Amino acid sequence: RSMPRSPSPSPPAGQPSTASDAGDAVKAIYVFANEKGGMTDINRGKINEIIAQLSQSSAYTAKLLKSDRRVDETVALLQQKLQLSDEGARRSAAAVVARQVAALEASRRADRCCAVIDF
């Protein structure tokens, strides 16, 4: 039988805990760091680590990481509420959402078009 591992100390607020986490954070918050055409044979992990190292003291990065943490906390709270809700409450909420979707679909304008051209 193995002993449970004690939790490792958490990193300072706003900083990822591992290089992998840093790379994931960079990929999530820096859109310009995402893959572009012709980047299939590039070491993305190394690039993400470099971007994370160079931008770790940036106020912009701190703001984005804080926002990302808030979103994660909100998602966790909503998942917890979903687990605690009973089947009747879920059906009732689903019916409310279905009515809202139907109302939005009925009010949708189909007489306009939007095109995005990316060079």
Side-chain angles (χ1 to χ4, degrees):
R1 221 169 97 165
S2 64
M3 297 287 292
R5 290 177 41 187
S6 63
S8 58
S10 59
Q15 294 184 3
S17 59
T18 65
S20 173
D21 290 344
D24 291 343
V26 166
K27 190 172 183 179
I29 64 176
Y30 287 109
V31 175
F32 66 82
N34 291 337
E35 287 187 14
K36 310 288 188 288
M39 294 179 67
T40 56
D41 296 331
I42 294 178
N43 183 349
R44 291 300 310 161
K46 185 65 175 171
I47 291 172
N48 289 344
E49 285 180 41
I50 291 169
I51 293 171
Q53 289 171 357
L54 294 175
S55 62
Q56 69 185 0
S57 62
S58 161
Y60 177 75
T61 300
K63 178 183 172 188
L64 288 177
L65 290 173
K66 182 178 178 182
S67 175
D68 197 41
R69 276 194 310 278
R70 270 192 251 131
V71 168
D72 290 342
E73 290 168 1
T74 301
V75 167
L77 178 66
L78 292 172
Q79 287 175 337
Q80 183 181 17
K81 283 183 179 181
L82 181 63
Q83 288 176 352
L84 295 176
S85 66
D86 63 351
E87 189 62 32
R90 289 183 194 164
R91 275 196 302 266
S92 174
V96 169
V97 169
R99 285 193 299 274
Q100 290 173 340
V101 167
L104 289 170
E105 286 291 335
S107 67
R108 180 189 293 198
R109 288 181 55 185
D111 61 336
R112 56 189 176 167
C113 176
C114 177
V116 177
I117 300 172
D118 186 8
F119 291 101

